[in-house]
Amino acid sequence: MMSSSRMLLIMILGAFLLLLSSLDLLVQVVEAQGSWEVVVENAGIASMHTAVTHYGTVVLLDRTDIGASQLPLPNGECRNDPNDETLTYDCTAHSAVYDPASGTVRPLFIQTDTWCSSGQFDADGTLVQTGGDNDGFSKIRTFTPCAADGDCDWVETDTPLQNGRWYATNQRMPDGSQAVIGGRSCDTVEYVPSSGAPVYIPLIANTNDAQNDNLYPYVHLLPNNQLFIFANRDSILFDWTTNSVVANLPTIPGEPRNYPSAGSSAMLPLSGFNGWTDAEILLCGGSTYGAFLNPAAALPASITCGRISPLDTAPAWAMENMPMRRNMGDMLLLPDRNVLIINGAGNGAQGWGNAQNPVQTPVLYNPNAAAGTRFQTLTATDIPRVYHSTANVLPDGRVLIAGSNTHQFYTLTGYLPTELRIEAFSPPYLGGGAEPAITDPPAELAYGQAFAVTVAGGNPLFIDLNLLNPPYSTHSFSQGQRLLQLETAVPTDAGGGAYTVTTTAPPSSVIAPSAYYMLFAVSDGVPSYASWVHVG
């Protein structure tokens, strides 16, 4: 019979092991919330507009009328601009290209003012950049990317916008053009390249208010070839082929949602498993009306999200609460088809000095979970990111965070100083298991083309192939963002721990406007390093 002292010792040892197990579980849970790393201590500029090219490099872009930046132009080059309201002869850069592989930042030359402008990638991977302030108001600029060791730079085209645009939104269209929609005192849509005169959109005019809460409208290309356009609290279905309003959708409850009240929006992933027919729009955050007009009041941000299926016969907003109030949040579609909400503030609105109470805790939203269980809070950053900050998914699955400048000029001290550091956030899926790898990615895909890839590693019962379109991130909205889940057959054993996954490319340019996409293999929620694939 076991002695009482020995039994007591075993009980104590068991309790100790249980405690260690609990602590280990706690550590695992904490580690599963994601991690942060400062990847550039001083980029020289605060990126107001950010986009990832198909070379894996990142275009950083600020405005030009802020005076000197901290990034010199090379070889004694200077910008001579008599229209600049701050510094007409400027030998510093206001755009740059960052290479995540080497950590280097190369200055770029931009001539006209890109303050609060818009952009989108063309089918060939060229970044088209439109509008801005002052001498940039009617400008169209292009950046054709190159390898990290190249010397590609901005080109200011001779063809102007028909309507000058400031705070507009771009959307790449199925015919290869870009729709440029809205802007301050601009209630039209025009197409680049031009296909006729600009067309009046009543929604943009009717949703204006004393704060101009109709700026940077949320625009999504739906799988029926119509545009979902949202401004302030209202939205429409717009037939871009006839330039006509098809339907007026219900008003979302709650606060204004667009600039300067600044919520964010994303179209949830489209899936080949349901024939690409289901489209849902998610919209989260915003500001109490009056926050922009009376910034000293520090009015609370919105806590609500709305979700709508705009192509339903009777579309309606389904509302739910975020874990915390937030405006100026960036909403990103992640490779695993979840949504990341990151950056922002809990009080105030967009604008110089209007934001207070930075929200430094990202939130993960699972669109496939039951209502009430969709949100998960993640690891907080030490760096506030509020007005003029950006967020972009990198090919390795990390999220690049840049910018934040609540001041008219670069102000590197005091409350919420201009932020020149660049961070990378690793979501919970990184480090959570063995990463799969695509060993034979296609370089080109035609619409409807059947193809197969070999995926090394991962669980053959749970391998997804997802295409992610790199957007143009600015002012809490990722213009052109799109994620497509390909319909896959059951993987077959390719030997050596690898599996062959057979699938079919998206059927048309309505589902996948021609462009470069990041192709991710995702196994048990863990994404591979992306392969760049040109679709169309």
Side-chain angles (χ1 to χ4, degrees), residues 120 123 171-177 220-227 240-241 267 270 276 445-449 467 469 480 482 484 505-515 517 534-536:
Q120 185 68 190
Q171 170 64 53
R172 189 172 60 257
M173 305 304 293
D175 66 355
S177 68
H220 303 288
L221 175 65
L222 299 173
N224 70 339
N225 202 23
Q226 295 173 0
L227 293 177
W240 67 276
T241 65
M267 181 170 70
L270 300 177
W276 309 105
L445 286 176
Y447 292 120
Q449 175 185 339
L467 289 169
N469 176 48
R482 202 171 193 82
L484 307 171
S508 71
S509 60
V510 174
I511 303 303
S514 182
Y517 290 76
H534 187 267
V535 178

Side-chain angles (χ1 to χ4, degrees), residues 284-328:
C284 295
S287 301
T288 301
Y289 181 80
F292 180 77
L293 297 173
N294 184 19
L299 297 174
S302 172
I303 200 170
T304 62
C305 288
R307 186 165 161 173
I308 192 171
S309 298
L311 300 181
D312 281 359
T313 53
W317 289 99
M319 306 301 296
E320 54 192 325
N321 285 348
M322 297 182 286
M324 69 281 290
R325 296 181 180 275
R326 190 188 305 256
N327 58 29
M328 291 182 282

Side-chain angles (χ1 to χ4, degrees), residues 25-254:
L25 178 60
L26 177 61
V27 169
Q28 290 180 21
V29 169
V30 171
E31 289 178 346
Q33 306 311 301
S35 61
W36 290 87
E37 177 188 7
V38 174
V39 293
V40 178
E41 285 289 347
N42 186 345
I45 66 171
S47 190
M48 181 191 305
H49 320 284
T50 308
V52 179
T53 78
H54 64 278
Y55 285 92
T57 57
V58 184
V59 178
L60 312 173
L61 185 62
D62 200 5
R63 38 190 279 247
T64 60
D65 64 343
I66 54 172
S69 74
Q70 292 200 342
L71 183 65
L73 286 167
N75 305 319
E77 189 176 22
C78 298
R79 184 177 63 92
N80 187 10
D81 187 354
N83 296 309
D84 197 300
E85 298 178 349
T86 304
L87 185 63
T88 58
Y89 193 72
D90 186 358
C91 301
T92 62
H94 300 281
S95 182
V97 60
Y98 164 63
D99 177 23
S102 65
T104 57
V105 176
R106 179 172 66 88
L108 300 176
F109 187 97
I110 192 89
Q111 177 67 27
T112 56
D113 193 10
T114 53
W115 182 18
C116 299
S117 50
S118 55
Q120 185 68 190
F121 286 105
D122 261 355
D124 66 355
T126 297
L127 181 59
V128 177
Q129 221 274 333
T130 50
D133 190 28
N134 202 15
D135 60 358
F137 190 49
S138 299
K139 268 291 179 179
I140 301 175
R141 313 164 193 86
T142 61
F143 178 81
T144 301
C146 56
D149 58 355
D151 60 357
C152 46
D153 212 330
W154 287 101
V155 173
E156 308 255 346
T157 70
D158 295 327
T159 304
L161 291 167
Q162 297 180 72
N163 289 160
R165 308 265 173 183
W166 196 23
Y167 302 90
T169 296
N170 289 22
Q171 170 64 53
R172 189 172 60 257
M173 305 304 293
D175 66 355
S177 68
Q178 293 189 24
V180 189
I181 299 174
R184 190 182 293 274
S185 303
C186 188
D187 307 325
T188 65
V189 56
E190 64 179 278
Y191 300 91
V192 176
S194 174
S195 59
V199 175
Y200 174 69
I201 300 181
L203 170 80
I204 306 296
N206 296 339
T207 52
N208 199 7
D209 57 26
Q211 299 188 136
N212 297 129
D213 278 315
N214 63 350
L215 301 179
Y216 279 123
Y218 303 139
V219 181
H220 303 288
L221 175 65
L222 299 173
N224 70 339
N225 202 23
Q226 295 173 0
L227 293 177
F228 172 90
I229 305 176
F230 182 102
N232 198 329
R233 293 177 57 215
D234 290 307
S235 51
I236 59 172
L237 297 180
F238 184 80
D239 186 339
W240 67 276
T241 65
T242 60
N243 286 313
S244 59
V245 177
V246 175
N248 292 289
L249 300 173
T251 299
I252 190 172

Side-chain angles (χ1 to χ4, degrees), residues 368-451:
N368 297 312
T373 66
R374 292 173 176 152
F375 292 100
Q376 176 188 1
T377 56
L378 305 178
T379 301
T381 176
D382 295 329
I383 303 175
R385 303 281 182 173
V386 284
Y387 188 44
H388 289 160
S389 58
T390 61
N392 298 78
V393 175
L394 294 173
D396 62 9
R398 293 180 300 165
V399 176
L400 194 76
I401 307 295
S404 187
N405 187 13
T406 67
H407 311 281
Q408 183 173 1
F409 305 108
Y410 278 13
T411 305
L412 303 178
T413 60
Y415 182 64
L416 296 178
T418 303
E419 186 53 66
L420 302 180
R421 287 173 291 182
I422 298 177
E423 288 176 289
F425 175 64
S426 295
Y429 52 59
L430 293 178
E435 294 182 11
I438 302 175
T439 62
D440 54 350
E444 297 273 346
L445 286 176
Y447 292 120
Q449 175 185 339
F451 70 101

